[in-house]
């Protein structure tokens, strides 16, 4: 498939200015925040209602899996952009903005990449991967999750980095290599460090926020551009949101001059009661409390949910319930009807108060 031309790219950039139709609807007091969803290629291809929902609700689209190494680099010798290109074309056709997810991750790697064994090999592969992918979508994908989940699950001051093949072969430098390479290829791109578990009161979460700030500070001190922190925000139904902790975190990010984005919002409802109405209302309240903590303290550049409809979500498999009730993690139900969570999101999406 041919490379996206410079002219296409510029057309894409121009259309971004039109990509926020809701901005004009903003009402006094609360500006609209770009809202979108991750799009999964299988239902995108098979289910017209899924495509319609992406059109109706989103002004940002994120290919859910198709820009991951596993999809792009199944064969070591060639890149397969087919899935990503389909989603990118859809977004551009609808004048929706795009986020790229993700240039470096310790998971979703093809078998050959898991078998890399030397520093030189890892460095060569990482750099050429980022060069190729960022160059292809230059001017079309303006924001990248450059590194995903590089913070240790439970970090310490001595060991803030997650144990991945990149960390094992390259050490902490894997993060700077990724950011440096992305910036070199597309100096206009917004470069984001994306990670999970920043939201509740557990001491582990407090350590994760500190680790994120310290990694960002390190990059900054070395003159490496990092523009945003992506908070995945897979919120646990059974955990309380740490409002003061989040507000403080937002202030610290502000001091560093780093933006925030909500990148993978959904609710892990495995431990919530089975009754759908109760679950939906708890989930909506949780999302509301979370956004109330974050948005006034530092307005996110985007709010992105990890899917739109409960019909398709990773939560049911990854966080299996003990009963047989289907997971209800997202703002639309299985039949694409808006749930209470969508009402909460509407306040931000449409800028109403
Ligand atoms: C998940 C997808 O939703 C699934 O379809 C896939 O099988 C596995 O990955 N954190 C991330 C996302 O950064 O890329 C993950 O997405 C969910 C956790």
């Amino acid at each position: 498939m041919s490379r996206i031309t410079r002219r296409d790219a510029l057309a894409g950039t121009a259309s971004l200015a039109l990509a926020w139709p809701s901005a004009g609807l903003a009402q006094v007091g609360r500006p609209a925040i770009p809202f979108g969803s991750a799009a999964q290629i299988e239902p995108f291809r098979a289910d017209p209602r899924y495509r319609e929902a992406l059109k109706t609700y989103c002004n940002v689209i994120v290919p859910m899996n198709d820009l991951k190494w596993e999809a792009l680099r199944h064969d070591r010798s060639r890149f397969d952009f087919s899935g990503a290109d389909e989603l990118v074309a859809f977004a551009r056709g609808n004048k929706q903005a795009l986020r790229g997810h993700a240039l470096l991750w310790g998971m979703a790697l093809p078998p050959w990449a898991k078998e890399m064994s030397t520093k030189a090999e890892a460095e060569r592969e990482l750099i050429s991967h980022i060069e190729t992918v960022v160059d292809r979508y230059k001017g079309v994908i303006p924001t990248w999750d450059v590194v995903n989940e590089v913070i240790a699950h439970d970090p310490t001051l001595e060991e803030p980095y997650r144990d991945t093949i990149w960390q094992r072969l390259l050490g902490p430098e894997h993060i700077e290599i990724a950011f440096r390479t992305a910036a070199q290829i597309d100096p206009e791109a917004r470069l984001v460090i994306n990670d999970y578990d920043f939201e509740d009161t557990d001491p582990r979460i407090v350590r994760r926020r500190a680790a994120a700030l310290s990694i960002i500070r390190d990059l900054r001190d070395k003159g490496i551009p990092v523009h945003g922190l992506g908070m995945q925000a897979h919120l646990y139904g059974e955990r309380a949101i740490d409002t003061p902790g989040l507000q403080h975190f937002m202030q610290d990010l502000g001091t560093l001059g780093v933006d925030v984005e909500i990148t993978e919002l959904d609710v892990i409802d495995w431990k919530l009661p089975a009754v759908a109405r109760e679950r939906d209302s708890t989930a909506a309240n949780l999302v509301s409390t979370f956004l109330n903590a974050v948005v006034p303290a530092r307005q996110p550049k985007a709010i992105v949910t990890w899917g739109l409809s409960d019909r398709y979500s990773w939560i049911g498999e990854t966080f299996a319930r003990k009963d047989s009730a289907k997971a209800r993690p997202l703002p639309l139900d299985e039949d694409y009807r808006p749930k209470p969570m969508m009402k909460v999101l509407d306040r931000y999406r449409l800028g109403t108060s």
Side-chain angles (χ1 to χ4, degrees), residues 38 40 42 63-65 68 70 101-102 105 107-108 145 148-149 194-196 232 234 263-264 266 306-307 312-315 317-319:
Q40 210 176 331
E42 299 83 4
M64 184 182 280
N65 294 312
K68 293 175 182 172
E70 204 171 47
H101 173 84
W105 192 21
M107 293 169 79
D145 290 335
N148 190 37
E149 303 186 350
N194 195 48
D195 226 302
Y196 66 98
Q232 293 185 358
H234 300 293
T263 55
E264 305 184 14
D266 54 18
W306 209 238
Y312 312 105
S313 166
W314 72 302
I315 294 294
E317 282 161 37
T318 311
F319 302 90

Side-chain angles (χ1 to χ4, degrees), residues 13-52:
T13 313
S15 72
L16 287 180
L18 306 171
W20 318 121
S22 56
L25 299 175
Q27 292 177 12
V28 185
R30 203 199 294 262
I33 298 173
F35 173 82
S37 166
Q40 210 176 331
I41 195 72
E42 299 83 4
F44 174 85
R45 286 179 178 151
D47 180 350
R49 288 200 296 169
Y50 184 80
R51 290 196 296 275
E52 203 46 47

